[in-house]
């Protein structure tokens, strides 16, 4: 959620933007190179990008992506190899930013130097978030209050 909000607020400052959600799940399902193709297609605004994986990626990067200031958000990365395949900082133009969300700090490559640790919500914030997601409202009816508090406490 935080990454999506950051994306929404910053995207207009860049030549091109891409938010790839659920990297862990999608790479297992479709393969990491399908995600790379989706990333490059989105950044270049070409829906059906055709690039030879063996040697075409580097040419594409050198000719087109290296000129762009991009914002990329990679959500739920669980393997450092995913970062290596999807987003090397040298591929993109000056001022580009790559934001990675992960459950494991060990996944982050050395080049990803700035780490922001998200703190846990307090009980009231957790209850409010639960209500927004479960009931689509900030405050709920009294009959669900006790049950909601038990769920959040658990």
């Amino acid at each position: 959620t935080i990454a999506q909000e950051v994306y929404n607020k910053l995207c207009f400052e860049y030549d091109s933007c891409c938010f790839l959600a659920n990297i862990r799940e999608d790479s297992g399902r479709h393969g990491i190179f399908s995600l790379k193709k989706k990333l490059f297609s989105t950044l270049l605004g070409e829906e059906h990008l055709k690039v030879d994986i063996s040697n075409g990626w580097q040419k594409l990067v050198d000719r087109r992506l290296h000129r762009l200031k991009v914002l990329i958000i990679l959500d739920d990365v669980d393997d450092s190899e995913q970062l290596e395949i999807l987003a090397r900082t040298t591929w993109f133009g000056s001022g580009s930013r790559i934001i990675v969300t992960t459950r494991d700090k060990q996944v982050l490559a050395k080049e990803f130097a700035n780490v922001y640790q998200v703190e846990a919500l307090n009980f009231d914030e957790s209850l409010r978030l639960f209500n927004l997601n479960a009931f689509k409202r900030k405050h709920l009816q009294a009959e669900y209050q006790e049950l909601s508090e038990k769920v959040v406490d658990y």
Side-chain angles (χ1 to χ4, degrees), residues 94-110:
S94 177
S96 292
R97 182 175 290 177
I98 300 169
I99 297 173
V100 178
T101 68
T102 183
R103 299 171 192 197
D104 180 5
K105 279 200 296 192
Q106 302 299 320
V107 166
L108 299 175
K110 292 174 187 163

Side-chain angles (χ1 to χ4, degrees), residues 66-126:
H66 196 67
R67 297 182 205 149
L68 295 175
K69 177 182 170 184
V70 301
L71 171 65
I72 299 170
I73 296 189
L74 304 175
D75 177 52
D76 198 16
V77 173
D78 71 339
D79 185 346
S80 58
E81 196 172 301
Q82 293 167 337
L83 294 177
E84 185 68 25
I85 292 169
L86 290 174
R88 293 184 193 158
T89 56
T90 57
W91 289 346
F92 309 106
S94 177
S96 292
R97 182 175 290 177
I98 300 169
I99 297 173
V100 178
T101 68
T102 183
R103 299 171 192 197
D104 180 5
K105 279 200 296 192
Q106 302 299 320
V107 166
L108 299 175
K110 292 174 187 163
E111 66 184 288
F112 294 96
N114 299 325
V115 176
Y116 174 77
Q117 181 95 19
V118 177
E119 301 207 7
L121 300 175
N122 66 35
F123 183 80
D124 290 334
E125 293 167 330
S126 298

